[in-house]
Amino acid sequence: MKHLCLLIAFLSFLSCKAQGDNEDLAKEVIISGRVLNREVYPKEKEVTLVIPYLSEMETVYTSPIADDGTFSFRFSPYAPVREVVLRNYAEHLFVHPGDSLFVEIDFSNLLSPKITGTSGDLNQYMALFTLGGYYRGPYYCNPRSTFEEFEKELGEEHTSRWERRADFLKEHSPGAEVEEYTADLLWIDYYNALFRYAASQASEGKDVSLYMALLLKLNPLFSGKTVFAGLFPLTEKVNFFLYCNHTRKKYSDFELADLMKDCKDNAILPYLYLQHVAVPLCHNDTLCLADYRLQFDSIVQAPHLRQPILELYEDKADYLKAPGKVSHQMLYGNNADEAAARKDMPFMIPVYNLLEKYAGKVIYVDFWGVICPPCLAEMEPLKELRKRYSPDDVVMVSICGSRDREAYHKVLERFSLRGKNIECVYSEDWATSDDYHRIMKHWGMNSIPQFLLINRDGVIVDYGTALRPSYPKTAAKIDALLK
């Protein structure tokens, strides 16, 4: 019993310590500043701050530029050191919890922001390095090169960049922290280029297994206390490389079990794991995170990785339980009702007409394109899903967004979609090209296929790519609306 009490006390101590550490990391950062010579770009009315994360999941803040030229942001970094982006003006800002920075931006000299405050010297040197001609940013290497040509080209460019960095360090003597960050920026850019090339080769069926050994070389970047913005696109390049390498060899999808096998000893694993649960979640699929929650908690422990995904999970779960608020925003924006939205958002009128035409029925909508393999793969499942329901209860609408009417008709013939109680629509017969793209942009649908599920009351109860006809849970969701 004595030993058990000691163990409980020790675990409580660790829990309290972790909570205290997280509270320290959550201390707000203040980034304020002033814009000079605004008349140079009079149309610039706001400043944008980005907290990097996975693609299309970044936290984006905007601050209006006040009459006196000032702007201000407050946020929690959830990391000991975090790189953030003051878009167009200071792309590489490094902040610690509790920092207060002041950024003076001169519209007549955008390459020389003046940065002062608690991490002022660090950021002034980093601005000098990244904006002063010493740093080039992403590599370009010909994806059609042979392995030998690519590695020679990449090696020469990498050496050139290290020489420019050496010139910067010699000329300015910025200190150890700047030396570390400038080196890490170069390595991140190098590995981004390398894994982008490797993925392109694997996607063409070429053997890129030799690049697997390089995953361990990423450990210093992903295990350090500094969260660089470039770690997230690098994660996506590595994930795509692993996917292509896996499917090239096994002709099967790349799943969490495969990820665990390939990367169990790598510091990049939490970042990669995050992507595998984030993608379904963005498409309103909360089951993946719920099913793997214990594993997620054991692998993804860093607050800067956990916080956004858990907040997104709560938002998605809330939406699926009570979709009315999100549905209203998707259909009517900030307007009180459809009548006001028809005047304020006329591009949405085709959607309103669709709702009016099928009022009182469940509506399932498929947005697809003629040269989209995942879209075409859902055509037979769509026909099978159609057979489950009476047209009197469930309407199925298939909208092709491609701008090739002839190819559209060929797809209809290929899959025998006509006469199957599926309303097949060519997008330009439904909405103008401009309006169609504005609808998709308003809904955040940046890829296809996409799907909508609308209940009898005209509420969008679910949407995204997780509503594919081939997914069993899609039929279950429609069934639930018919009860």
Side-chain angles (χ1 to χ4, degrees):
M1 179 64 74
K2 177 181 178 182
H3 294 299
L4 179 59
C5 291
L6 288 173
L7 177 60
I8 293 172
F10 177 66
L11 292 175
S12 298
F13 166 75
L14 290 180
S15 176
C16 292
K17 184 179 185 301
Q19 183 176 353
D21 290 343
N22 288 346
E23 288 175 357
D24 288 341
L25 296 177
K27 287 182 179 177
E28 281 195 325
V29 171
I30 300 173
I31 297 179
S32 56
R34 184 184 301 274
V35 175
L36 307 179
N37 295 310
R38 293 181 65 188
E39 67 278 2
V40 177
Y41 298 108
K43 293 184 179 180
E44 294 296 314
K45 303 295 184 183
E46 62 185 25
V47 178
T48 301
L49 178 79
V50 180
I51 314 297
Y53 200 63
L54 298 176
S55 286
E56 300 180 15
M57 293 181 63
E58 303 95 345
T59 302
V60 180
Y61 299 98
T62 58
S63 172
I65 302 173
D67 292 341
D68 62 356
T70 58
F71 60 88
S72 182
F73 301 95
R74 304 175 73 100
F75 62 93
S76 296
Y78 293 108
V81 187
R82 187 103 190 237
E83 183 183 8
V84 300
V85 177
L86 201 60
R87 190 173 286 164
N88 298 326
Y89 309 123
E91 299 280 339
H92 303 273
L93 282 177
F94 292 84
V95 296
H96 309 75
D99 269 355
S100 180
L101 286 177
F102 188 86
V103 184
E104 186 177 274
I105 301 167
D106 189 341
F107 274 4
S108 65
N109 183 14
L110 292 176
L111 297 181
S112 300
K114 294 180 180 177
I115 307 171
T116 55
T118 49
S119 295
D121 288 345
L122 162 65
N123 283 292
Q124 192 65 61
Y125 279 123
M126 291 304 298
L128 181 60
F129 176 71
T130 56
L131 298 173
Y134 300 99
Y135 177 68
R136 288 185 180 174
Y139 287 78
Y140 172 76
C141 293
N142 186 355
R144 298 297 175 188
S145 301
T146 64
F147 286 112
E148 293 77 14
E149 290 170 340
F150 167 76
E151 291 185 351
K152 181 175 182 292
E153 183 182 359
L154 184 64
E156 290 174 351
E157 177 63 22
H158 194 54
T159 299
S160 171
R161 294 179 181 221
W162 279 90
E163 289 171 351
R164 279 197 300 278
R165 173 180 172 271
D167 291 340
F168 168 76
L169 297 179
K170 182 178 179 181
E171 185 176 348
H172 298 284
S173 301
E177 196 171 23
V178 175
E179 288 190 31
E180 176 188 342
Y181 292 170
T182 52
D184 286 342
L185 284 180
L186 295 186
W187 280 117
I188 289 170
D189 291 340
Y190 172 82
Y191 285 118
N192 255 303
L194 192 152
F195 281 103
R196 181 173 66 243
Y197 174 79
S200 72
Q201 297 299 299
S203 67
E204 295 179 0
K206 296 178 182 176
D207 185 2
V208 292
S209 300
L210 61 95
Y211 285 104
M212 290 295 293
L214 295 178
L215 290 175
L216 288 174
K217 291 186 177 293
L218 300 179
N219 282 349
L221 295 172
F222 284 91
S223 59
K225 67 176 183 177
T226 303
V227 181
F228 290 90
L231 295 181
F232 295 101
L234 177 54
T235 297
E236 291 166 0
K237 301 291 190 310
V238 172
N239 185 67
F240 187 52
F241 158 73
L242 293 170
Y243 168 82
C244 292
N245 189 47
H246 177 84
T247 54
R248 176 189 66 81
K249 293 185 295 185
K250 298 194 175 181
Y251 302 101
S252 62
D253 207 359
F254 183 65
E255 299 178 343
L256 277 173
D258 303 304
L259 174 66
M260 297 295 294
K261 182 179 178 182
D262 285 349
C263 300
K264 63 179 180 179
D265 297 321
N266 297 97
I268 194 176
L269 177 60
Y271 285 77
L272 290 166
Y273 195 97
L274 187 73
Q275 183 160 344
H276 279 252
V277 297
V279 171
L281 198 53
C282 286
H283 300 145
N284 299 326
D285 181 359
T286 58
L287 295 179
C288 182
L289 182 56
D291 290 346
Y292 288 93
R293 183 56 187 269
L294 289 177
Q295 190 179 66
F296 171 84
D297 287 342
S298 70
I299 293 171
V300 185
Q301 296 184 354
H304 71 276
L305 296 178
R306 291 177 60 81
Q307 197 78 12
I309 203 72
L310 293 179
E311 289 177 0
L312 179 62
Y313 175 81
E314 293 299 328
D315 288 345
K316 295 295 185 179
D318 288 346
Y319 162 66
L320 293 173
K321 290 177 185 174
K325 186 176 180 180
V326 172
S327 175
H328 185 99
Q329 179 65 32
M330 290 178 70
L331 292 174
Y332 311 122
N334 296 323
N335 296 286
D337 53 30
E338 180 183 325
R342 281 180 174 266
K343 296 178 181 177
D344 187 50
M345 304 165 61
F347 65 90
M348 288 291 291
I349 289 176
V351 178
Y352 305 148
N353 292 343
L354 185 70
L355 292 175
E356 184 178 347
K357 181 178 180 180
Y358 296 116
K361 296 184 179 183
V362 172
I363 308 172
Y364 179 76
V365 187
D366 168 15
F367 295 96
W368 61 280
V370 297
I371 58 171
C372 164
C375 300
L376 301 182
E378 295 297 328
M379 293 304 177
E380 292 297 339
L382 178 64
K383 287 160 47 177
E384 291 303 310
L385 187 66
R386 170 70 280 178
K387 293 176 184 178
R388 288 176 60 103
Y389 306 103
S390 165
D392 294 332
D393 296 320
V394 179
V395 174
M396 293 192 177
V397 183
S398 174
I399 301 177
C400 175
S402 299
R403 302 184 69 178
D404 186 337
R405 190 181 291 270
E406 184 179 349
Y408 159 71
H409 285 296
K410 286 182 178 179
V411 171
L412 297 190
E413 292 173 10
R414 174 183 169 189
F415 292 100
S416 303
L417 289 173
R418 292 189 178 93
K420 304 294 182 182
N421 285 321
I422 299 170
E423 183 175 350
C424 298
V425 180
Y426 186 61
S427 64
E428 291 184 358
D429 296 333
W430 179 61
T432 66
S433 178
D434 259 1
D435 285 352
Y436 177 81
H437 289 297
R438 290 187 71 183
I439 291 167
M440 301 303 277
K441 183 178 180 181
H442 174 61
W443 287 342
M445 293 181 173
N446 302 313
S447 62
I448 49 176
Q450 296 282 346
F451 305 89
L452 288 179
L453 183 58
I454 304 168
N455 69 12
R456 295 181 188 274
D457 296 322
V459 175
I460 300 173
V461 296
D462 206 347
Y463 64 93
T465 65
L467 272 174
R468 300 182 185 216
S470 59
Y471 290 1
K473 62 188 174 185
T474 298
K477 289 183 177 183
I478 296 175
D479 292 345
L481 299 180
L482 297 176
K483 292 178 180 178

